[in-house]
Structures are given as structure tokens and as C-alpha cells.
Amino acid sequence: TIVGLCLWVCTYVAKGQNASEVTYDGTSLIINGQRKLLISGSIHYPRSTPQMWPGLIDKAKEGGLDCIQTYVFWNMHEPQQGKFNFEGRFDLVAFVKLIHSKGLYVSLRIGPYIESEWNYGGFPYWLHDIPDIIFRTDNEPFKRYMQRFTTMIVDMMKAEGLFASQGGPIIITQINTCNGMYCGDTFIGPNSNKKPRMWTEAWTG
């Protein structure tokens, strides 16, 4: 679940200066002992230029948001297998640091699959040529490449001190392989009554 991964991150990342403690129960997220109802909005960094980011974040804050959500776009960061691009409008670290400088939280949706009218669900095209791979299933090749990329992103954020437990803005992360239109067909609810029971993306389910 979303918060389940978040707590894994917050628990195992070494605490830094100005660290925040992020926990949860069946009612809400709890940040530094206080319940928080976050008003979050999406700004996807590759859809704009770094020069545009400050204005977009300022407008979001002026509009009442206290958290910025973004996907991580695998096909943009690894267009060729093993060759990575985190420069210019793909500079995820700079984007997260800028949000932090504006006093907002970050909800980081690492993927690997993304739902945002983005080509191929954010998968790099070369992934299709991996022998025996079946996307978005309990498939060993898919899980192996997915884990490699998602671990790299987590390690990158840790190295820059960007998780809340390190004093950074990332309070929640998500591994997203679900299609929100159909989650309600298969998801019967959280596996603990201490976990939140609703999310708005799949409310129709």
C-alpha cells in the first residue's frame, strides 16, 4: 500500500537534522504527532521546464496546497537500458529540493507504471524486448527490472537527504502498478484496520 512503503522508507532511512516522524492509523497520516489532512496536487516535472517550476509551485501553494505529488518517469530517465538521464527537465532531485524550499511536502510515486496520459505507461520501450517479460504481473523478469529502477530512485533520494526522516520533504512514497479504473474489482480493502480505507483516485471502485 501507499503508506506501507512510506513507513518502510521512513523507518530505515537514517534520521537527520530537522527530521519528521511520519506514521499513520486508520484515520490519517500523523506527522510529528499531529494528524494531517493533506491537500495535494500534481506537478509532473518533465511536462515543464526547470524555469517554470518555481512559478508552478508558487501557484500551487497560493491555491492552498501543502503537498506536491509527482510520478517518476522511467522511460524518460532510462531511455536506453543502463543509460540514465536526470538533467534539465528530468532533474528529479532539483525538483524535489525546490518544493522543499517552498515549504511543501512531496508525495513521490515511483512507478514503475504511471497513469497520466503518458506513452507506454512510462515503461521504457526497451523493456518490451526483455526475454519472457510480462508487464504488471507476478513475473520474475518484470519484478527484477522494476526493483532495480525503483531501488535506484529510493537510493538517490536517500543520498540527497530528501526523505522526511532525514529532514527532507518526502513524507510518502508509492509503488504504483494499479489501474485506478479497475482497482475496485480486485482490492477488498486494507489488510489492517489501522490503515486508511479510502483514496480518491479509485473512489468509484
Side-chain angles (χ1 to χ4, degrees):
T1 64
I2 299 174
V3 289
L5 180 61
C6 168
L7 292 181
W8 181 88
V9 170
C10 293
T11 300
Y12 290 97
V13 174
K15 290 199 172 185
Q17 190 175 12
N18 301 318
S20 296
E21 181 183 27
V22 182
T23 58
Y24 66 92
D25 61 16
T27 303
S28 70
L29 286 174
I30 303 169
I31 302 175
N32 294 329
Q34 295 187 341
R35 295 190 180 279
K36 293 287 291 186
L37 177 62
L38 299 175
I39 309 300
S40 176
S42 297
I43 300 177
H44 298 157
Y45 54 98
R47 296 184 188 272
S48 52
T49 66
Q51 293 74 25
M52 297 169 65
W53 294 345
L56 293 172
I57 297 167
D58 285 341
K59 288 181 174 64
K61 187 173 182 178
E62 290 167 7
L65 301 188
D66 49 17
C67 183
I68 300 298
Q69 177 270 124
T70 186
Y71 284 111
V72 178
F73 295 77
W74 187 0
N75 59 351
M76 297 292 98
H77 291 304
E78 193 179 5
Q80 299 179 54
Q81 186 175 354
K83 296 182 179 180
F84 299 96
N85 182 6
F86 288 91
E87 299 179 354
R89 65 190 180 100
F90 308 125
D91 192 340
L92 175 61
V93 168
F95 181 68
V96 173
K97 286 183 175 180
L98 182 60
I99 295 170
H100 193 199
S101 73
K102 302 290 186 178
L104 301 177
Y105 295 120
V106 172
S107 169
L108 191 66
R109 304 178 71 177
I110 300 176
Y113 179 76
I114 63 175
E115 295 180 56
S116 188
E117 295 74 47
W118 194 263
N119 284 346
Y120 217 46
F123 291 138
Y125 290 121
W126 57 262
L127 195 66
H128 182 270
D129 296 325
I130 300 300
D132 301 319
I133 198 166
I134 303 174
F135 291 174
R136 305 175 67 199
T137 64
D138 187 14
N139 170 265
E140 289 304 321
F142 176 70
K143 291 190 294 184
R144 183 171 63 252
Y145 282 90
M146 165 187 165
Q147 182 177 21
R148 179 178 62 84
F149 177 73
T150 56
T151 299
M152 181 186 71
I153 297 300
V154 169
D155 288 345
M156 181 183 297
M157 299 299 105
K158 286 167 60 177
E160 296 290 339
L162 294 176
F163 287 108
S165 58
Q166 300 173 290
I170 301 174
I171 57 165
I172 194 166
T173 61
Q174 178 185 9
I175 298 295
N176 183 57
T177 59
C178 186
N179 185 331
M181 293 176 62
Y182 302 107
C183 280
D185 296 338
T186 57
F187 180 68
I188 61 174
N191 58 12
S192 167
N193 61 10
K194 295 182 179 180
K195 294 180 179 179
R197 294 169 175 78
M198 175 193 167
W199 73 100
T200 57
E201 182 178 5
W203 67 271
T204 52

